[in-house]
Structure formats: structure tokens, C-alpha cells
Amino acid sequence: MSARKLFTHELEELLDAFLFASPSHRSIERLAAMLEALPRRQQEFVLRVARGAAKTNTELAYLIATLAPGMLERFSEKDFEAWVIQGLDVFDKQGLRPAIETLRDVDAFLAAREGRLPAKFAEVEPRLSRFVLGLSGRPLALKAGSHPWTDTETIYLPERISRFANAEDNRRAYQGLAVQLWAQTRYGTFDVDLEAALSRWPEREQALTWLEHLEAVRLEACVARDLPGLGALLAELREPWPQMLHPALAELQAQGADVRVSLDWLARLMAAGAVPPAPTFIARLEPGIAWRVRNERIARDTETLRKALGALKGAAGKREAGGHEFTAAMNTATGELEVHIDGQAVQLPEAARAAAASLLQDLGQVPPEALAPAGDAPWTPDDRPKEGAPEMVNSREPDHRYDEWDFHRNAYRRGWCHVYVTDVKPGDGAFVRATRQRYAHFIAQLKRRFEALRGEDRMLGRQSEGEEIDLDALIEAVNDRKSGAEPSPRLFCRRVRNERSLAALFMIDMSGSTKGWVNDAEREALVMLCEALEKLGDAYAIYGFSGWTRTRCDIYCIKNFADPYDDTVRARIDGIEAKDYTRMGVAIRHLTCLLAAQPARHKLLVTLSDGRPDDFGDEYRGTYGIEDTRRALQEAREQGIRSYCITIDRQGADYLKHMMGPAAYTVLDDVKKLPLKIADIYRKLTN
Amino acid sequence: MNHRQLRTITPELERVGAEPHYQPVGDEVALFEAAAQKRLPVLLKGPTGCGKTRFVEYMAWKLGRPLVTVACHDDLTTADLVGRYLIVGDETVWLDGPLTAAVRAGAICYLDEIVEARKDTTVVIHPLADSRRALAVDKRGELIPAPPEFMLVISYNPGYQSVLKEIKPSTRQRFVALEFDYPAAELEARIVAVEGGVDEETAKKLVKLGQLTRNLKGAGLDEGASTRLLVHAAQLIDAGMAAAVAARAAVARALTDDPDMTQTLDDLVRAVF
């Protein structure tokens, strides 16, 4: 074999001989150009392996040849062949797409070869989500992505990490990446338009990589100052800082260093023509997207705040005519926005306080324009209904009509929602049987706990008969006799069952979004709950709700207060299925009527839902639905009904407090927990 | 013989001796003093462990009045509060309950966690909490007018989620309400340092941990860590425990039994220490 490298045109010819049938019509010319850079020995090797692979599938052969130059930098030829064989094996067993995915996931191959155990995003996500929520007041969602980055509202993390030998270390690596990305949003990486700053250099990618390194140094120092444990974790996970960065370290790590310090050093490094090393285990930057998302949020928060202040000022105006002295200023000690009208401190709505806190995090201050009240208007962001949304018309007269609260006009729409009440079509009972079987042990435990709740007997004193003498009463009677008064004959104590006098109604979300896992979890939860409640003796009912626009709000009876928990009810639980939309306010109003009619002293409405109020068309979405639901809950409260919401909407924290009140909801981070949690939540609520 | 002529035992009430450590957060001290001056009853609202009880102790010391504290529970009867007959030898005597003793002595009577008490029990405080300012002792047919120094203080945690434990509007509307929350970070760190006997740096870290757990309220935790829990952790550290071990025991394990949430709290402890 000659040592002379094969040139592009020669490689092209050779590749064409076995790849010409590749169905994706990819450019053989580009591939040949890539392979030209390899030494002759490797060129021959790649051609041999790819030719072999082409006998199985030309598409795979093309992929293998394309990835080869990069792979040969990391793999020995032996490993390379093993990697190809693994890909072809998957093709034989599972087909083309899984084979392509297997070949692309080089890290997994390496990890498996070295006996390393990866951590997977799906497994770490629930715990990591809670952790990130703990770190940051502002909610940050977590999603799987191709590389670790954040748009400032969502953190994207790789599907799997197999950097370390054991899974626990890899889970810690996930935590480390999440912390770096949280730190980008917390310590002001996106305070300036980085994309504009990077555009100074033609070698944008090079500059971006340097910036990622510089920010990693700065953010690690910030984290270490506030959360030393996490600072240590970040230092442990990464490679030593590149030599070229050493002169910059002190300045980047100094207290108060912001992203501008990183940009200064970036300019120096680029001026020196320094080439950055490949980033190892540091969070990446997507400055363009982050800048856009941040600006949209700032505009949104500013508007929310201005409207809230406008509404407060307007409300003050209504109370008393005349001018009002209005001040709004940040209290730097508490980080809270303090609003005064005529010298009186005024409480801001929760969403407006959150907006102020969010602005403070993004800008370091609340901008003056956000403190300029927007006039006497609804304080919530505007999402007016679009005209011309289709309305569904039902031929049957509704069973009930209910008002709905329109926050735009600050008034009710009378008889607006049409309610139809139907029974759930019963299922065959198999699901309920399976659930009772699967959770038999847990159900037995629950029953015991609920029995204990009921078993809290109470001694009633001063009874005319009973099993024990009431000493207090007796002494009093003796005393009365001595003093010449008529002694009371009620001298006994009697043990009585604790009278709970409680009626609970469970309102089950049957909207389309519950289809699948959520619906299963709801049904399982109801089975557990019924089993436990039977032991407790509280009056309870279960209703589902769904619908499609205001003209078709369906209420499904699963168990009314009078129904015993029997096979009919079990079959109905079995038959609960995902239907249409979630118009929540009307369901609350209807069920409030049913609950209010109960003779119990305490009444509880528990909503089980997977998300915010929602209905077809734009009208009910967003603020309108939240405000209507909030109003419906207030009406229920006026009738002596307490409400509680159990939701599996991770993003629920941003509206639930406003909608339900501060101590009236639980957000479950994992739908699988619902069956195990619901009875416990009920127990706590009524204990 | 008249009920009132029976021998009556009234417990001696002591004044708070040394000044309790209390860091004012806002204008609560002035408000309480004003309420005391105008003889208004006071309701303290706020999460568990944020310093309500300590505040009352401090105010009792500051105003120089005896303090009677009653921890309310669901078996607390009117007799437990007002008093009962006892037989001593062959004699029937009347023993004043803590509320009656406080009224007689012109003390501050502090009913802690009032919602824990039975509803029929709490009604007894109503005439004391309005313009009548008198305690009716039905069993003795006695109406005891409260002296100007007497003050009724109750506390209530609105964060409780139980439907059965709500304060009745008729009770609530008789009180001047002071809202308590966790102190601002710097102040809370000072409290933890002084009460827990740890250095400022450790106290700051514990407060940081407290703040992180409070972010999880409503998302798996009913309540975040209270100042009291942070002080407990500090005391364990002062007693020689490693900081992370102390924080896990006094904060993470104290807040939840849920294994997943415990993991998260452990992660947060590791994040701080």
C-alpha cells in the first residue's frame, strides 16, 4: 500500500462504488473531502469497514464513514470496529432508526465498554426539579435536550450522562450541570446582549467557547460563595481550568464580578489569538435565544406590575375622590416592592410580587417604567378573547345554567354556562380489581390509619347516664347540696364516638390532557381513597368534569353522597376517561350547590387536576379561567365550603397561590405518587 | 353557703425574670404596646416557629406583667381554662384555671395555637376580648372584671391546611392582628447565632438552608424550615456535631417523612455545607 493519501476525487470514486444506492442522496463529495484529511492507513480502514457495513445497509455505512474521522480521534481501530458491529446488531434486531441512534450515542458505547453505568435524565428529573425549585424562587422547568443549556426559563440537559463509572457520580454530574445553568440565570450571565458582543469577532464559535469557559469560572465562584457545598461539587466535576485562563481567574472570581468582566477577558483572549480547548463538562451558552426569552419576560413582568399598581391606585381613587400620593419603591433589605398610597402600605397581589421579584433577578432593580401605574385597569396581563371563536350548540336544554365571572368587565355573565349532568359510562371493573390487588398491602395500611382517626373517642361529661362518674359534676353537686341549692342529676361521663360531621366532594378533572398516565393515576387514587374513606365514615361524593365551551359543560356523577361504595361505583370509577376541556369555574359552582346542601358541619371540596383551567378557544385560557375559578372558589367559601386542590402541574406554583389561596393546594411532582398521596392528604386536611 | 364563699385557690403568677432574647422585625413592639395601652386583645398570625411565643415572652417582660401561657389542644375544656372544684380533705375548694388566674392578676394570658382548642371552649374568651372585658365563671356565678393590666393574646397559624382547624370569624374579629413571618436573612442569622451559639458564618449558612426549604412550600413541603428548627441545628453544631449532620437531623428529617422530599432536602443541605 502506498503511503500517499487518497485525494477527494479518488475517494469519491471508491465510496460511490458501495454507497451510490444510499437512499438519502447525501453528498458523497463532502464525505470524500472529510476523509481526505485522514492518513492513508486510516482511509483504507474506514473504506473497508464502511464497505462491510454497506452490505447490511448503505445508510448506516454512510453514517459510519461520516462519523469516522471524529471517532478515530477517540477510538482505537479495534474499538471502532466494535462500535460498528454494535450498530449493525441493533439494525438486525430493531431496524434502521434505533441503529442510527445507537451509533450516534458514542458516549453510551464508551460507557458500556468501560463498564460505566450512565444516569438517565428521565430518572433524575423529578429529584432534580425539586432541587432546582429549592435553589431558585423563580420556576425553572427541566427538559431533555442535545446539550446542557438554558433559555432562562427552561434548563435543557442531555438524555444521559456516562462520564463516570458509577451511576451515582453521573447523577451528581446532572446536578452539577443543572446548578451551572441555574447560576447563569441567577448571577446575570444574560444581563447583556451576548450575541451582539460576540458578533465583534468573525470567529464567533471560538469566542463563544472562550466565553463559556470564562463564565464557568465566574459562576462557580458565585455559587461557592453562596452555596459552598455546590461550589465544591462544581470544582470536583470539571477539568482544571485551561492554562490560558489563569491570569483571568482572580478577577473573574472576585466578589461583584459580573458578566462584563468575562467579556473584557474574552476581548483580551481573542486579541491574543488564543484557541480555546474543547469545553469539558461546562454548561453551554445559547445567547440569542436566552436574550429573546429574557426580554419577553421583562416586558411581561413590567406590564403585570404596571397594571397591578394601576389597579391599586384606581381602587384608592374609588374609595375617596381626590388626588392620591402614590409611591412604589424597592426595599433593598428585603428585596420586596413596597407600595404606599397616601402613606399607607398596600399589599400587592401575589402575581405582581412575583413579577417584581423576577424583574429584580433579571435587572438587579425594578425599572422606573414598571413602577408607573398603567391606569385604572385589570391588573393581570391582557389576553382578551378573540372574536369569532366557534361556539358549540347543544340541542338538549341544559340541566342547569350558571353565571361566570368575566374579569375584563369586572362583572358576571349571567346564566352563561350550560351544565349537563350525566353518569359515567361504567367500565368492566377490571382496572379497579387490578388496583385493589396491586395496592392490597398499602390499602390495608391506609385503612388502619383511617380507623385510628375515627377511633378518637371523646368523653362527654355531665351526662344523665354513663359508664363513669364525672368527678367535677359530683363535687359540684355535693357542694350545691351543702349550700342548699338543687344538685344536678347529670353526674356521669359517657364515651362517644368523635363526631366529625364532615362531607367531602372530590372533583375529578376529566379533560383531554389527562389521557393515559394521569387518568390511570386518578382512577387508582380514587380507589385508594374510597377504600380508606369507607373506614372513616365521612360523607363523600365523587364527580368528574369536562366539556367543550360554555354551552356544553359536562358533570359526570361517579358517586353521589347517597351512593354506597359498591360494584356500581367501582364500575364507574373504572369508566372514567379523558374527555375534552377543563372549564373549572362552572364545575365548582355546580358541585358547590350539591355540597352546600349536605347537612355536615364541615364541607370540603377537593379538586384533582393536571393543570390550569382551560377550554376550547382562547376565551377561557389564561387569566380569564384563573380569575373565574378563583371567583367560584370564593363563592364556595362564602357558603362555608373549604376548597383544596391537588395538582400535578409542575408549573402550578405560579398561579395556584393566587387561585386557591396560600395553604390550599399541593403540587405533586410525579403523577405516579397521586394514588399513594391522596388518602394521606385527605387525612391531613381533615385531622 | 354561697359558691363564692368557698375557699378559692389562685395560683401565684410570676413575672418574666430575665430579658428574653428577641429581635424586633418591624413595628410589632410598638403595636403591641399601643394595644396594651388601649386594652385591646391581640392575635398573632404566622408560620410555626417564627418567633410568636418568644415575642409574647419579651413583651411580658417589657411591660412588666406576669405571663400565663396555655398550649391549646383539642381536649382543652372550659374548666381547664376557667377553673374547677376540688375536694381537699372534707372541704370543697375552687381552683382557678390559668385564664381566671391571669384575669385576677392583671397578667398577659397567651393562648397558643388557639385553633387546636375545641370551638365550645374558645367561646369563653369572647366577653374578655370585647368591650365587656370580663370573665364569666358560670360555675360560681361570678363575673370577674379584668383589670386594666390584663391582656389577652392568642396565636394562630394560617398555614394549617386542616378544614377542621380554622379560627371562627366571630373570634377573629375581636382581635388586633399582628402578622409574623420569618425574619429577613441578616436578622435571622443573628438570632440563630445568638440562640444557637454558633459563629456568624455557620448561622448564615443555616439561614440560607432555611430559605431554600421555604422555596419548596406547596411543592411537596407543607412548611419551610422555621427559625426554631434552624436554632435547633445550630445548637447541635454547638454541641459538637458536624454541620451537615446537624442540619440533616434538625431540618431535613424534621420537615418531612416523604423519602423523595428527604432526598431533595439532603441535596440542599449538601448544597449549603
Side-chain angles (χ1 to χ4, degrees), chain A residues 68-91:
Chain A
M71 300 297 283
L72 286 169
E73 284 177 17
R74 301 173 67 182
F75 284 8
S76 67
E77 286 180 5
K78 202 171 144 214
D79 283 341
F80 186 92
E81 276 178 304
W83 168 72
V84 171
I85 287 166
Q86 188 199 37
L88 296 179
D89 278 351
V90 173
F91 176 80

Side-chain angles (χ1 to χ4, degrees), chain A residues 501-557:
Chain A
S501 186
L502 199 143
L505 197 153
F506 296 90
M507 182 173 121
I508 312 302
D509 186 348
M510 284 169 58
S511 61
S513 55
T514 61
K515 196 174 172 124
W517 257 111
V518 178
N519 180 267
D520 287 352
E522 279 185 344
R523 290 187 296 164
E524 284 183 354
L526 287 177
V527 175
M528 307 285 221
L529 189 70
C530 290
E531 297 282 343
L533 279 171
E534 284 303 304
K535 282 287 162 197
L536 194 54
D538 288 350
Y540 71 104
I542 304 167
Y543 286 84
F545 72 103
S546 175
W548 189 296
T549 77
R550 69 179 184 92
T551 58
R552 217 203 72 204
C553 307
D554 295 326
I555 300 283
Y556 299 91
C557 177

Side-chain angles (χ1 to χ4, degrees), chain A residues 130 134 483 673 677 684-685, chain B residues 1 163 215 222 258 260 264:
Chain A
R130 282 193 301 272
S483 63
K673 285 186 186 166
K677 288 271 180 179
K684 256 167 64 184
L685 267 173
Chain B
M1 186 171 71
V163 257
N215 285 338
D222 295 334
D258 180 287
D260 291 346
T264 300

